[in-house]
Amino acid sequence: MSRVYNFSAGPAVLPEEVLKEAAAEMMDYQGTGMSVMEMSHRSKAFQGIIDEAEKDLRELMNIPDNYKVLFLQGGASQQFAMIPMNLFKNKVGDYIITGQWAKKAWQEAKLYGTANAIASSADKTFSYIPDCSDLPIDDNADYVYICQNNTIYGTVYHELPNTKGKTLVADISSCFLSEPIDVTKYGVIYGGVQKNVGPAGTVIVIIREDLITEDVLPGTPTMLKYKTHADAGSLYNTPPCYGIYMCGKVFKWLKAKGGLAAMKELNEKKAKILYDFLDSSKLFKGTVEKKDRSLMNVPFVTGNEELDALFVKEAKAAGLENLKGHRTVGGMRASIYNAMPIEGVEKLVAFMKDFEEKHS
């Protein structure tokens, strides 16, 4: 069986070079005589792996010294609770609802205090990003929360909200490392790595040091305090060792590719191929307002459910996997993360042209 083009939203495609390297080291990591999967997280070898991963990530994202990098577990969803638990001082959070994950984070925050939905795009099935230039931000808000790239709906903030001086917290799971970002504009950036960075099981949190305090909500478990993990260099308990090792390999791969500016250029090129076709197609259409389109996740429909199902089935037979859209949008979705080669997008578009000819 040869490799397919995997358009899954996550767990998603990983760079082939990285997989081959990991395979070569599977039985013996750099002369240790054991796999990273078997290695003590307290060992010198693993300490080297996590230190190197952090160093490379700091370099790639240009992370200032007053931000901590934490490698945690629990996925992005656990951060929905950790954020209010750690950041609520006035017990008020302002949330911008642009999709399922922002909505879940908002609902979770309500368990711990007041969570205001200050803007939403639910009225049009989250197909756009609301105007965030003059939001009704609560004077007591501890932070303003966004999901920067909406995996399900294919929207992205091309401009960050005006938070009126409040701390910005962002879930960047599905656009992580896809382009350069200015870390200093955020208080907390976090993401599950299984979309654009590594295998499922690791979440990376980048947090400004002044937000890491003992002053957390009463009853916050030890494991859910940022301070616990920051003080222990992400080694308070056994971390997701193999996941961190794989992320480290992806960071090296990204550096070898020319870093995030080069990645952005490639991602724009890939997305343009697909969006240009969608804009000219008579059968397929994109579901997102043009100005808010994501480079990472591209939902599209034919307008006919049976035809959509046939498309997904025939695409799979042609080696184009995981193109079924999320149930809330229907249709199809192509996730074209960093590791999706340009040939994969070209092959998808060629297949779509062929399908359109047969069915229009």
Side-chain angles (χ1 to χ4, degrees):
M1 172 80 189
S2 62
R3 300 260 306 159
V4 296
Y5 288 112
N6 177 11
F7 293 94
S8 169
V13 58
L14 282 163
E16 260 181 50
E17 298 96 307
V18 167
L19 294 173
K20 283 175 180 160
E21 226 175 86
E25 292 177 343
M26 180 54 84
M27 300 300 285
D28 175 12
Y29 174 73
Q30 295 189 357
T32 57
M34 58 181 127
S35 173
V36 175
M37 277 192 194
E38 309 168 290
M39 194 177 275
S40 163
H41 61 298
R42 304 285 174 212
S43 67
K44 201 175 157 195
F46 185 73
Q47 189 67 57
I49 289 169
I50 195 169
D51 289 349
E52 183 90 352
E54 178 176 339
K55 180 174 136 316
D56 286 336
L57 181 62
R58 283 187 176 276
E59 226 167 276
L60 279 166
M61 291 181 74
N62 202 6
I63 300 172
D65 291 345
N66 65 324
Y67 283 74
K68 290 272 192 216
V69 173
L70 310 176
F71 294 96
L72 308 177
Q73 295 172 83
S77 297
Q78 188 158 287
Q79 294 305 309
F80 300 167
M82 273 181 90
I83 284 155
M85 283 176 164
N86 285 269
L87 302 192
F88 269 180
K89 306 295 178 253
N90 304 321
K91 291 195 180 178
V92 180
D94 282 352
Y95 283 72
I96 301 169
I97 315 295
T98 51
Q100 202 119 319
W101 302 114
K103 189 177 171 185
K104 284 187 172 174
W106 166 62
Q107 286 166 334
E108 191 77 1
K110 287 180 182 179
L111 301 173
Y112 304 102
T114 303
N116 305 310
I118 56 170
S120 170
S121 53
D123 61 329
K124 292 184 183 168
T125 326
F126 302 119
S127 59
Y128 70 102
I129 299 287
D131 178 7
C132 298
S133 56
D134 186 18
L135 297 163
I137 288 170
D138 193 308
D139 288 343
N140 289 317
D142 293 303
Y143 56 82
V144 175
Y145 181 103
I146 63 170
C147 179
Q148 193 149 325
N149 186 89
N150 298 282
T151 323
I152 293 172
Y153 302 97
T155 59
V156 69
Y157 287 80
H158 289 295
E159 218 172 289
L160 293 176
N162 172 7
T163 64
K164 302 181 181 173
K166 302 291 182 188
T167 296
L168 180 63
V169 174
D171 171 357
I172 63 164
S173 297
S174 52
C175 58
F176 218 151
L177 301 178
S178 62
E179 57 183 289
I181 63 171
D182 181 354
V183 176
T184 63
K185 290 187 172 162
Y186 307 80
V188 182
I189 307 172
Y190 75 88
V193 304
Q194 72 278 8
K195 298 175 182 298
N196 210 27
V197 187
T202 306
V203 62
I204 296 173
V205 177
I206 299 159
I207 177 168
R208 211 173 57 225
E209 281 177 347
D210 61 287
L211 298 171
I212 304 171
T213 65
E214 281 290 7
D215 179 21
V216 296
L217 291 187
T220 298
T222 304
M223 277 295 289
L224 297 186
K225 293 175 185 172
Y226 289 128
K227 193 165 178 9
T228 301
H229 301 287
D231 288 353
S234 300
L235 295 169
Y236 174 76
N237 67 324
T238 310
C241 297
Y242 200 79
I244 294 166
Y245 157 78
M246 289 296 285
C247 288
K249 291 230 172 282
V250 172
F251 302 156
K252 291 259 183 254
W253 177 79
L254 284 166
K255 281 172 75 176
K257 290 267 178 221
L260 301 191
M263 222 55 228
K264 182 184 187 188
E265 207 176 304
L266 178 63
N267 287 328
E268 283 175 340
K269 214 176 186 176
K270 288 190 299 193
K272 187 178 182 337
I273 294 169
L274 187 46
Y275 285 126
D276 281 356
F277 172 70
L278 286 172
D279 290 342
S280 69
S281 170
K282 295 203 171 26
L283 179 63
F284 298 99
K285 73 175 191 33
T287 57
V288 173
E289 284 191 19
K290 277 188 186 179
K291 65 175 177 47
D292 300 322
R293 283 171 165 175
S294 163
L295 295 178
M296 297 284 101
N297 312 99
V298 185
F300 55 96
V301 293
T302 64
N304 175 325
E305 281 182 27
E306 281 165 26
L307 213 48
D308 287 351
L310 182 67
F311 176 87
V312 171
K313 188 181 163 196
E314 290 188 357
K316 183 182 169 71
L320 305 166
E321 282 275 357
N322 295 310
L323 281 163
K324 191 178 191 306
H326 193 271
R327 61 185 180 279
T328 56
V329 185
M332 287 69 68
R333 170 181 51 178
S335 292
I336 49 176
Y337 298 126
N338 286 343
M340 171 58 66
I342 202 156
E343 303 79 56
V345 182
E346 288 166 346
K347 192 162 180 202
L348 171 62
V349 168
F351 178 81
M352 289 167 80
K353 279 181 180 160
D354 193 43
F355 189 88
E356 179 166 330
E357 273 166 31
K358 275 191 216 151
H359 297 279
S360 52

